[in-house]
Amino acid sequence: MIEPIQTLTLPQRVEWGAGAVTRVADAVTAVGAAHVFVVSDAAVAQAGHLERLLAVLPASTRATVYDRVEAEPTTEAVEQAADALGAADGVDALVSLGGGSVIDTAKNAGVLALNGGALRDYEDGADPARAISRVLPNIAVPTTAGTGSEATAWAVFVDPARRLKNAIYDPRLVPVAAILDPELTVSVPPDVTAGTGMDALTHAVEAFVSRLANPATDALALQAVSLAALHLRRAVDESADLEARAGMLLASFLAGAAFSNSSCGLVHTLSEALGGFYRLPHGVTNGVLLAPVMAFNAPSCAARYARLGTALTGVVGADAAEAVRSLAADIRLPRSLGELGVARADLPALTAGAFVWANDSGNPRDVTAEQIHELLEHAVDPRRERA
Ligand SMILES: [Fe+2]
């Protein structure tokens, strides 16, 4: 059988290691930008990272700063960023310095400012989808290790009016450069390190068992799993450990590249439904759901889980879902959705929202609405006996 043609879309330039933020200057020069729009948020500015980045830009480069990105950005927040970008004259590149919310806001604001319309015109599943004609080169500098947005073609947003989370997908949204500096992540507190780290691990696990996986995404995903297994506990427990922080940044990048070129699966489908409903931290809901969804998927991908079990533990034949469960416990992640305030009364609406996408995600096992409801019910209160 002749294999179909596959495409791997990755940033042109990836720099990592302590002090890599200085390489932003090379990346800006490489794209020939005279005026950059720097997207960031208050916490990143407060930590001094924004000042550090601005100091290393080439002297001839003009910078307009937008540092008002909010966590889990809404359509309105993206529109504000797009207005600021539109008002800045002659911008020829974006520099996004922050977590996934910042990098995604930069991508989405760029789409709106250059192409007009509203986010829902371009979102995944829009019918008819409006074409994106122009995208600005984006130099992404993550300050958390998790979303992998510096490697992906996805740009997520929350639409409060519809109580859903959706995203724009376009391979041109893959940043032109990813600058991975662990010194920018040492001030991330343990609970955020844990949540974002589980997001990276979820990307890697879901990409590895995706129906859209290929040998190239397998390589990215498997190495991301090994790095997360090796470094996540230490990044949480010893925040200043640069080796652990660098390992997690690389894991996050590789996992992002893996799922952007294959897909995520049921954990993300459920998490997006929860994120649209409650605006909960994405990585934390992924972390709570990952082991139960792996147990659900196991009949469809046992051989792949065996490989993941080995990557997670170093022990051949180890149970992958169990390894994830013990990792989540070690990094003190909440054990249930109930602890996060998810109410049983909302489960029918959440189930309906998730089911719309559930069998288009690339997840290895088909799922019914009843099975989604049961998974969520068990995740709200794992102590309840399954029916
Ligand atoms: Fe994610």
Side-chain angles (χ1 to χ4, degrees):
M1 186 183 125
I2 298 172
E3 291 288 322
I5 295 171
Q6 312 265 358
T7 305
L8 202 60
T9 309
L10 301 167
Q12 290 168 20
R13 172 190 288 257
V14 185
E15 311 255 9
W16 76 94
V21 69
T22 56
R23 302 289 175 87
V24 170
D26 299 340
V28 168
T29 304
V31 298
H35 184 183
V36 295
F37 189 73
V38 181
V39 182
S40 193
D41 67 24
V44 170
Q46 185 97 43
H49 304 323
L50 181 56
E51 203 179 337
R52 180 142 188 243
L53 179 132
L54 293 172
V56 303
L57 289 178
S60 59
T61 304
R62 189 175 151 209
T64 297
V65 174
Y66 182 84
D67 62 0
R68 298 200 300 279
V69 171
E70 56 179 61
E72 311 289 330
T74 60
T75 41
E76 197 186 337
V78 171
E79 283 159 13
Q80 280 170 14
D83 288 346
L85 172 56
D89 231 16
V91 168
D92 37 29
L94 301 169
V95 176
S96 32
L97 173 72
S101 296
V102 164
I103 300 172
D104 284 358
T105 296
K107 291 176 181 177
N108 280 326
V111 168
L112 288 190
L114 272 72
N115 301 274
L119 289 174
R120 64 187 299 171
D121 300 335
Y122 304 98
E123 72 184 7
D124 191 35
D127 185 23
R130 189 167 163 154
I132 296 172
S133 63
R134 238 189 104 211
V135 167
L136 285 170
N138 185 357
I139 296 157
V141 191
T143 59
T144 60
T147 68
S149 185
E150 69 280 4
T152 79
W154 290 97
V156 181
F157 62 88
V158 175
D159 187 342
R162 292 181 289 163
R163 284 191 102 172
L164 61 76
K165 216 172 176 185
N166 203 352
I168 300 179
Y169 171 85
D170 190 302
R172 290 169 296 172
L173 292 179
V174 174
V176 67
I179 311 292
L180 315 175
D181 187 339
E183 289 179 351
L184 304 184
T185 67
V186 295
S187 58
V188 178
D191 59 332
V192 179
T193 302
T196 50
M198 286 304 279
D199 190 21
L201 181 63
T202 306
H203 295 153
V205 168
E206 297 212 288
F208 191 67
V209 298
S210 165
R211 293 183 204 232
L212 302 174
N214 63 54
T217 59
D218 287 350
L220 297 163
L222 212 50
Q223 181 64 357
V225 169
S226 299
L227 285 168
L230 201 60
H231 295 293
L232 181 51
R233 288 178 179 87
R234 200 142 48 95
V236 171
D237 289 337
E238 293 166 49
S239 62
D241 188 319
L242 279 177
E243 194 189 343
R245 294 293 194 176
M248 282 311 300
L249 263 179
L250 201 52
S252 171
F253 171 82
L254 295 171
F259 88 80
S260 186
N261 289 286
S262 55
S263 79
C264 281
L266 185 56
V267 177
H268 270 77
T269 307
L270 301 180
S271 241
E272 312 266 90
L274 286 160
F277 225 76
Y278 298 105
R279 297 188 67 189
L280 294 169
H282 171 74
V284 175
T285 53
N286 281 342
V288 172
L289 290 163
L290 181 55
V293 169
M294 287 174 76
F296 171 79
N297 280 338
S300 302
C301 50
R304 292 224 150 211
Y305 277 162
R307 292 172 68 188
L308 286 180
T310 306
L312 281 160
T313 62
V315 177
V316 175
D319 183 305
E322 197 44 53
V324 166
R325 204 169 285 122
S326 83
L327 174 57
D330 288 350
I331 60 173
R332 298 174 294 283
L333 220 64
R335 274 162 306 177
S336 73
L337 295 179
E339 285 176 50
L340 297 168
V342 175
R344 289 172 55 83
D346 290 334
L347 294 188
L350 284 165
T351 299
F355 184 65
V356 173
W357 306 96
N359 291 312
D360 292 334
S361 67
N363 193 67
R365 182 175 173 192
D366 283 337
V367 61
T368 65
E370 289 70 30
Q371 287 167 327
I372 289 177
H373 192 277
E374 195 184 323
L375 271 167
L376 287 172
E377 195 168 46
H378 187 67
V380 166
D381 184 0
R383 290 163 306 175
R384 270 175 70 94
E385 285 298 310
R386 279 177 193 263

